[in-house]
Amino acid sequence: MAAQAQWLQREGIAEAALMARIDDHAAIGATAQGGVCRIALTDADRAGRDRLVQWMRELNLTVRIDRIGNIFGIRPGQLPDAKPVMTGSHIDTVATGGRYDGNYGVLAGLEVVRWLNERQRQTLRPFVVAAFTNEEGVRFMPDMMGSLVHAGGLALEAALDTVATDGARLGDELARIGYAGDMACGALVPHAFVELHIEQGPVLEAEGVTIGAVADLQGISWQEIVVTGQSNHAGTTPMHLRHDAGYCAAAIAVFVRELARRYGGSQVATVGAIDLHPNLINVIAARATLTVDLRHTDEATLKDAEGELADYLRQLETTEGVTIEARTLARFEPVQFDERLVRLVEASAHARGLSHRRMTSGAGHDAQMMARIAPAAMVFVPSVRGISHNPKEHTASADLAQGANVLLDVVLGLLDEAD
């Protein structure tokens, strides 16, 4: 109760300063549609990184960059050898990105640093604001790459050798933009990691809730499926003699949608990309390349869904006379976040009189990788109409400030914890 009373009396994060920083950074890679295109390791990403590093140094943070390009702004603690408390997210976007996804969590972390500096507040533990490389996985796969390497889930050399969709090598692009750092990956192991993020979904707004205390995160299975059939004349080839890769792609899309509806609960399934060859109106497709995204909060159920899809692909091969190859693009198990940290998020929201609920994250985030090496949790704020990865992505400034206040409360408590 004493801690809650302290939170109620505490001056919070300055909303105007937070919004000014978000608006300023959104101008880097701004699109004509009002969004942001700052794809990982492009020139726009370099400019965004440069601005972030500038702000970190203006706040008297020590800036370290590791060999995968993760950026860490470090504020020292009274116990320099103690594990730091870390917050952060990412600043890269999808091609049709908005101004809040990822960026909000990093810039709110800087506002926590400003809050501490203005009050000359010393903390026992160091405080670190992190910006992880290539969270979106648009140009280089897999997504959440920087945090995955940091957590030891992907070898550095394998990550550096990753080839982009445009043919560039990741390690070469890191060097080109000047962010091939010298710090060993994983050198900073946090006492706790807390990520602040927009929800990117409709739940909080639909329920009129301000704060989401994220308790778990769905497992993710990404596959690329290539169907090889036979190209032929669309007018002269009878239906029963066709080996139609285009039909198979459509059938797979329908199958995974019906699978998700049949499983119910948190199961979702998406075919997000289809490419046909030769892609002509009067020619039966000889080849179809498509992606399947399966997600569930339960690992066993996710495996069952993957198994059903594999069985269906074998069935299609037989019935349609095609060959089908599937390869894994990304596979991450579901994550349960640290119960104590989730309760701290709830306690802060309650003390500040903010409506809150526990929830699942349907999207992948850097926190799921950091949970491999440290207690981790996430704080969500509402997304208007649940829109994200879209220039129309929006969250009310008051909600952004309240989320930053909850982050402040949780971080302050953790920074003064002894081992």
Side-chain angles (χ1 to χ4, degrees):
M1 292 300 294
Q4 290 185 4
Q6 181 184 16
W7 289 344
L8 282 169
Q9 297 169 10
R10 178 183 295 148
E11 182 182 358
I13 296 295
E15 181 179 325
L18 173 63
M19 294 308 301
R21 211 182 281 280
I22 290 173
D23 291 344
D24 189 337
H25 208 260
I28 302 172
T31 66
Q33 296 75 33
V36 179
C37 178
R38 203 164 48 232
I39 295 173
L41 310 190
T42 60
D43 290 346
D45 185 31
R46 171 170 52 193
R49 288 165 172 263
D50 289 348
R51 182 67 55 80
L52 175 63
V53 168
Q54 173 193 341
W55 283 338
M56 285 179 167
R57 288 177 174 152
E58 288 173 355
L59 290 167
N60 296 318
L61 298 179
T62 299
V63 177
R64 298 294 307 277
I65 301 169
D66 70 11
R67 295 183 61 198
I68 196 62
N70 296 325
I71 300 171
F72 302 97
I74 305 168
R75 187 178 192 268
Q78 293 173 318
L79 303 175
D81 294 330
K83 288 184 176 181
V85 174
M86 186 181 294
T87 191
S89 193
H90 61 98
I91 64 169
D92 66 309
T93 74
V94 297
T96 56
R99 59 176 53 201
Y100 306 107
D101 176 8
N103 210 40
Y104 166 51
V106 178
L107 301 185
L110 295 188
E111 290 306 305
V112 171
V113 174
R114 187 209 297 267
W115 191 98
L116 291 167
N117 288 354
E118 288 179 345
R119 290 154 183 81
Q120 300 181 340
R121 174 72 177 271
Q122 298 299 308
T123 61
L124 283 180
R125 295 181 179 276
F127 180 49
V128 177
V129 179
F132 293 105
T133 296
N134 188 42
E135 193 272 351
E136 294 292 2
V138 173
R139 189 180 177 209
F140 300 93
M141 288 186 284
D143 53 350
M144 285 95 58
M145 182 185 283
S147 54
L148 181 61
V149 172
H150 183 88
L154 177 64
L156 171 64
E157 292 307 320
L160 294 176
D161 284 337
T162 302
V163 177
T165 55
D166 56 18
R169 178 179 172 272
L170 187 143
D172 295 336
E173 289 297 271
L174 266 180
R176 183 186 69 83
I177 68 169
Y179 280 88
D182 58 2
M183 187 171 75
C185 295
L188 294 174
V189 178
H191 172 67
F193 180 82
V194 184
E195 182 173 2
L196 175 61
H197 210 281
I198 60 170
E199 181 193 350
Q200 298 183 278
V203 174
L204 292 176
E205 184 189 48
E207 296 184 1
V209 175
T210 302
I211 298 295
V214 185
D216 56 5
L217 188 147
Q218 293 192 121
I220 301 173
S221 171
W222 282 2
Q223 296 181 55
E224 179 186 74
I225 298 172
V226 179
V227 183
T228 304
Q230 184 178 45
S231 183
N232 219 326
H233 196 292
T236 63
T237 310
M239 298 303 291
H240 70 284
L241 296 178
R242 297 182 178 213
H243 307 290
D244 188 346
Y247 163 76
C248 292
I252 294 166
V254 171
F255 174 81
V256 298
R257 184 176 179 86
E258 291 179 346
L259 178 148
R261 286 177 167 171
R262 175 161 44 86
Y263 276 41
S266 67
Q267 180 70 60
V268 292
T270 306
V271 170
I274 299 179
D275 178 69
L276 301 181
H277 177 81
N279 201 35
L280 299 172
I281 190 170
N282 61 346
V283 180
I284 298 166
R287 185 176 66 252
T289 303
L290 64 152
T291 60
V292 174
D293 179 326
L294 300 174
R295 307 191 189 206
H296 202 282
T297 54
D298 178 71
E299 173 67 9
T301 305
L302 183 57
K303 286 183 176 179
D304 287 345
E306 291 172 316
E308 284 204 33
L309 175 58
D311 290 344
Y312 183 69
L313 297 182
R314 302 289 77 79
Q315 177 188 327
L316 265 183
E317 281 189 314
T318 301
T319 59
E320 299 302 320
V322 299
T323 59
I324 301 178
E325 295 182 357
R327 70 182 181 98
T328 300
L329 299 177
R331 181 58 164 86
F332 301 120
E333 293 186 0
V335 170
Q336 295 289 323
F337 286 125
D338 183 80
E339 175 65 20
R340 184 177 77 96
L341 294 185
V342 176
R343 288 180 179 174
L344 288 176
V345 173
E346 293 173 320
S348 168
H350 177 73
R352 289 184 175 272
L354 303 173
S355 55
H356 58 92
R357 75 185 304 274
R358 288 200 174 198
M359 62 190 308
T360 294
S361 172
H365 295 287
D366 291 310
Q368 78 187 86
M369 303 309 170
M370 297 303 291
R372 300 182 178 201
I373 60 172
M378 295 190 70
V379 182
F380 275 176
V381 293
S383 294
V384 173
R385 292 186 291 160
I387 294 174
S388 187
H389 285 189
N390 185 311
K392 294 181 179 178
E393 174 184 276
H394 183 69
T395 296
S397 60
D399 289 336
L400 294 169
Q402 293 292 13
N405 286 334
V406 171
L407 176 67
L408 173 67
D409 292 341
V410 174
V411 162
L412 284 180
L414 294 169
L415 282 169
D416 287 330
E417 286 185 339
D419 287 324

